[in-house]
């Protein structure tokens, strides 16, 4: 037994794991199951066979044909696409957590009864999904880029998906679906296809950044670490700037209490979730745009941080941080007036519910309590200021009140004395 427990002197180095696309466990979906499911289109194998996504398959194949027509101008063929994707097929498979669904996996079968299949035995089908869905994702982002810049579209203006008349309605829904953790495509699939397309698509990271309007989130043009998929890239851009160390204290003061203590609020220079600072009496916070997709995107980002060991916990810490600031609807109204929160659709009541709801089942495992964060700084400031306000009130108002009352009290006593003397004199004459 002792020999078996002995560790080797030079243990073999463990290869980095690329697994990063996970099926969401039920403990997380209980918060809001709808937030973890795509609405309009499936990307990747997990939701591929769901019957309510069948109408989108026709549009995916139209995007594929458009992609093949474009690469044909550079003398590339469908076979070139297949060869390039075959080379990375095993690496693409490694990104997915569970491609083989066991029959006794009741949790998965209950939630994905239409899309559970053994993808490890259907590699040709898996590769087909990577190509078709990958081309569709690139075409959507490319069409949106052309629409935003006013370039001529390759599609008819009345196209039900790619037409300029439909982009305003369709793109926001697809943006949401492309940030669902179970709906991710490996970035490797997108970059492989983009390489075949040549200069038309350009840098995939830049294309994604422009698609999600992340230019203001971080001034950095490049992300140093290799990203697994769109959700991972989105998270890294949102947390790439700032010196805020994520720490959580249960006694975080609300926004209104901080303002009453003299704290001033202002927008940070970037929209990075880590660009939070507290200097003097000024709390700088990134501006957060809240719309119909905010709850879903935050929950999927938090799920990725919880399921992927090396992801970090910056988004989760930020959500708890904001939940600490937002204790009532009045706190939301205050942050909205200070332009920290930009509510595009929701009322203050709905925004309040979003933060209180998504932190209900979330945990902050792995965060060190002894890390000195911004919240600790302004909690200390708040306590000092409240002590100062109490002392100042007593010294300025209560003590001064007696000083103010004293001369009037003397006059009142003199008046009473005179009144009493007059009464005595009147009684004397009457007698």
């Amino acid at each position: 037994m002792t020999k078996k427990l002995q560790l080797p002197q030079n243990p073999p180095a463990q290869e980095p794991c690329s697994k990063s696309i996970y099926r969401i466990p039920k403990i997380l979906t209980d918060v809001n199951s709808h937030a973890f499911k795509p609405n309009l289109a499936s990307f990747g194998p997990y939701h591929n066979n769901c019957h309510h996504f069948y109408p989108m398959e026709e549009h995916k194949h139209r995007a594929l044909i458009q992609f093949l027509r474009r690469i044909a101008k550079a003398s590339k063929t469908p076979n070139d696409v297949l060869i390039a994707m075959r080379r990375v097929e095993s690496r693409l498979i490694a990104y997915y957590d569970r491609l083989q669904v066991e029959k006794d996996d009741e949790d998965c079968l209950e939630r994905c009864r239409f899309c559970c299949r053994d993808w490890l035995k259907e590699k040709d089908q898996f590769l087909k999904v990577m190509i078709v869905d990958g081309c569709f994702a690139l075409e959507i982002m490319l069409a949106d880029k052309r629409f935003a810049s006013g370039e001529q579209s390759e599609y008819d203006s009345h196209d039900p998906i790619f037409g300029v008349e439909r982009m305003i309605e369709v793109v926001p829904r697809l943006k949401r679906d492309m940030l669902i953790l179970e709906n991710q495509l490996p970035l490797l699939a997108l970059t492989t296809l983009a390489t075949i397309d040549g200069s038309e698509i350009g840098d995939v990271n830049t294309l994604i950044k422009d698609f999600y309007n992340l230019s203001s989130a971080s001034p950095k043009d490049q992300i140093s670490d290799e990203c697994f998929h769109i959700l991972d890239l989105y998270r890294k851009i949102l947390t790439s700037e700032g010196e805020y160390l994520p720490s959580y204290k249960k006694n975080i003061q609300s926004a209104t209490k901080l303002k009453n203590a003299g704290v001033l609020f202002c927008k940070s220079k970037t929209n990075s979730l880590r660009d939070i600072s507290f200097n003097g009496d000024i709390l700088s916070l990134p501006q957060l745009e809240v719309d119909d997709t905010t709850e879903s995107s935050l929950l999927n980002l938090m799920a990725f941080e919880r399921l992927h060991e090396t992801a970090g916990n910056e988004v989760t810490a930020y959500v708890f941080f904001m939940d600490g600031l937002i204790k009532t609807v009045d706190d939301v109204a205050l942050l909205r007036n200070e332009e920290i929160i930009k509510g595009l659709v929701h009322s203050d009541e709905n925004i309040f519910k979003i933060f209180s709801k998504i932190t209900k089942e979330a945990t902050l495992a792995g965060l060190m309590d002894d890390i000195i964060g911004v919240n600790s700084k302004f909690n200390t400031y708040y306590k000092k200021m409240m002590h100062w306000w109490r002392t100042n009130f007593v010294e300025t108002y209560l003590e001064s009140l007696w000083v103010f009352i004293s001369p009037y009290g003397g006059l009142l006593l003199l008046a009473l004395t005179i009144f009493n003397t007059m009464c005595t004199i009147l009684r004397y004459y009457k007698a």
Side-chain angles (χ1 to χ4, degrees):
M1 178 65 71
T2 303
K3 291 182 179 180
K4 290 182 179 180
L5 293 176
Q6 287 179 350
L7 296 175
Q9 294 182 353
N10 297 312
Q14 188 175 11
E15 294 184 2
C17 180
S18 59
K19 181 174 67 176
S20 57
I21 304 174
Y22 305 90
R23 289 190 181 274
I24 308 295
K26 191 174 186 299
I27 190 174
L28 297 183
T29 60
D30 284 344
V31 179
N32 181 356
S33 60
H34 176 73
F36 297 101
K37 294 179 181 180
N39 287 336
L40 194 61
S42 67
F43 293 90
Y46 287 159
H47 294 272
N48 174 260
N49 205 34
C50 292
H51 69 286
H52 51 280
F53 295 136
Y54 287 166
M56 189 58 67
E57 293 303 311
E58 174 191 348
H59 303 298
K60 288 182 180 180
H61 284 88
R62 289 195 303 109
L64 173 63
I65 292 172
Q66 189 65 35
F67 176 84
L68 295 176
R69 286 174 178 170
R70 195 163 57 243
I71 67 172
K73 297 177 182 178
S75 302
K76 299 290 182 64
T77 67
N79 193 49
D80 292 322
V81 177
L82 187 59
I83 292 174
M85 294 295 284
R86 282 279 188 207
R87 289 172 182 163
V88 297
E89 181 180 11
S90 59
R91 293 171 61 188
L92 296 176
I93 290 175
Y95 279 90
Y96 290 91
D97 178 27
R98 287 183 291 166
L99 282 178
Q100 187 173 17
V101 180
E102 303 296 338
K103 293 182 179 180
D104 59 350
D105 192 345
E106 297 180 359
D107 178 26
C108 181
L109 289 173
E110 179 183 353
R111 293 187 294 112
C112 306
R113 66 181 65 181
F114 299 106
C115 57
C116 289
R117 57 198 300 178
D118 193 343
W119 289 96
L120 295 182
K121 294 181 180 179
E122 302 182 48
K123 288 189 177 182
D124 289 340
Q125 183 65 24
F126 173 82
L127 202 58
K128 176 184 176 183
V129 169
M130 291 292 103
I131 294 172
V132 173
D133 290 2
C135 287
F136 180 61
L138 291 174
E139 287 295 300
I140 284 293
M141 291 188 286
L142 190 58
D144 181 68
K145 178 182 178 181
R146 288 175 177 150
F147 175 75
S149 61
E151 296 180 30
Q152 182 67 33
S153 174
E154 293 181 342
Y155 298 88
D156 183 81
S157 61
H158 300 290
D159 188 281
I161 298 295
F162 301 97
V164 293
E165 298 177 359
R166 293 283 292 165
M167 292 292 287
I168 297 177
E169 178 183 347
V170 172
V171 168
R173 298 172 65 188
L174 288 175
K175 282 184 178 180
R176 174 203 176 273
D177 287 352
M178 292 166 71
L179 288 179
I180 301 296
L181 179 54
E182 288 189 347
N183 217 32
Q184 292 302 297
L185 288 172
L187 210 58
L188 176 60
L190 300 180
T191 54
T192 302
L193 292 170
T195 302
I196 299 171
D197 196 9
S199 59
E200 181 68 23
I201 293 176
D203 179 64
V204 173
N205 285 10
T206 302
L207 187 66
I208 296 171
K209 189 174 180 180
D210 292 340
F211 185 63
Y212 284 99
N213 194 27
L214 293 174
S215 301
S216 59
S218 166
K220 291 185 178 181
D221 293 329
Q222 300 292 335
I223 300 298
S224 57
D225 299 331
E226 182 180 352
C227 298
F228 298 111
H229 40 68
I230 291 178
L231 183 68
D232 184 31
L233 175 62
Y234 185 84
R235 193 195 70 83
K236 285 177 179 174
I237 293 175
L238 283 183
T239 59
S240 62
E241 287 293 310
E243 299 179 355
Y244 166 57
L245 296 174
S247 62
Y248 173 65
K249 304 291 182 182
K250 291 184 178 180
N251 62 335
I252 290 179
Q253 304 300 331
S254 68
T256 51
K257 285 186 177 181
L258 289 173
K259 189 169 182 67
N260 291 336
V263 174
L264 303 176
F265 295 85
C266 74
K267 290 188 295 183
S268 302
K269 294 180 179 179
T270 73
N271 286 342
S272 170
L273 301 187
R274 295 184 74 239
D275 195 1
I276 301 175
S277 62
F278 184 66
N279 297 312
D281 58 355
I282 299 177
L283 177 59
S284 300
L285 297 166
Q287 187 180 66
L288 177 68
E289 293 188 358
V290 181
D291 57 25
D292 289 331
T293 68
T294 301
E295 183 175 354
S296 175
S297 61
L298 288 176
L299 282 171
N300 279 275
L301 288 165
M302 293 168 66
F304 178 62
E305 289 185 344
R306 181 164 179 175
L307 297 173
H308 195 72
E309 293 181 358
T310 60
N313 50 37
E314 290 86 353
V315 176
T316 304
Y318 167 79
V319 171
F320 272 85
F321 183 94
M322 292 299 293
D323 182 56
L325 289 179
I326 300 173
K327 298 287 177 50
T328 66
V329 178
D330 291 337
D331 296 318
V332 177
L334 170 62
L335 294 176
R336 188 200 290 271
N337 290 335
E338 300 293 342
E339 298 184 345
I340 304 302
I341 290 179
K342 186 177 180 181
L344 303 179
V345 175
H346 294 280
S347 65
D348 292 346
E349 179 70 26
N350 288 334
I351 294 174
F352 167 72
K353 290 179 179 179
I354 285 176
F355 283 98
S356 60
K357 182 178 181 181
I358 61 181
T359 57
K360 186 176 182 181
E361 299 295 335
T363 61
L364 276 172
L367 292 183
M368 298 173 59
D369 291 335
D370 58 348
I371 293 178
I372 300 177
V374 176
N375 43 356
S376 299
K377 290 182 181 179
F378 63 65
N379 274 336
T380 302
Y381 174 88
Y382 174 81
K383 292 176 182 178
K384 289 181 179 179
M385 288 303 297
M386 292 308 295
H387 176 73
W388 181 87
W389 280 113
R390 285 193 296 268
T391 303
N392 187 61
F393 178 79
V394 171
E395 292 178 352
T396 304
Y397 295 98
L398 294 185
E399 292 183 1
S400 299
L401 182 64
W402 290 113
V403 173
F404 176 80
I405 290 176
S406 296
Y408 290 98
L411 292 175
L412 178 63
L413 182 61
L414 178 62
L416 290 174
T417 302
I418 294 173
F419 177 76
N420 185 53
T421 302
M422 293 297 294
C423 289
T424 302
I425 294 172
L426 290 172
R427 284 198 300 271
Y428 173 78
Y429 280 106
K430 286 182 179 180

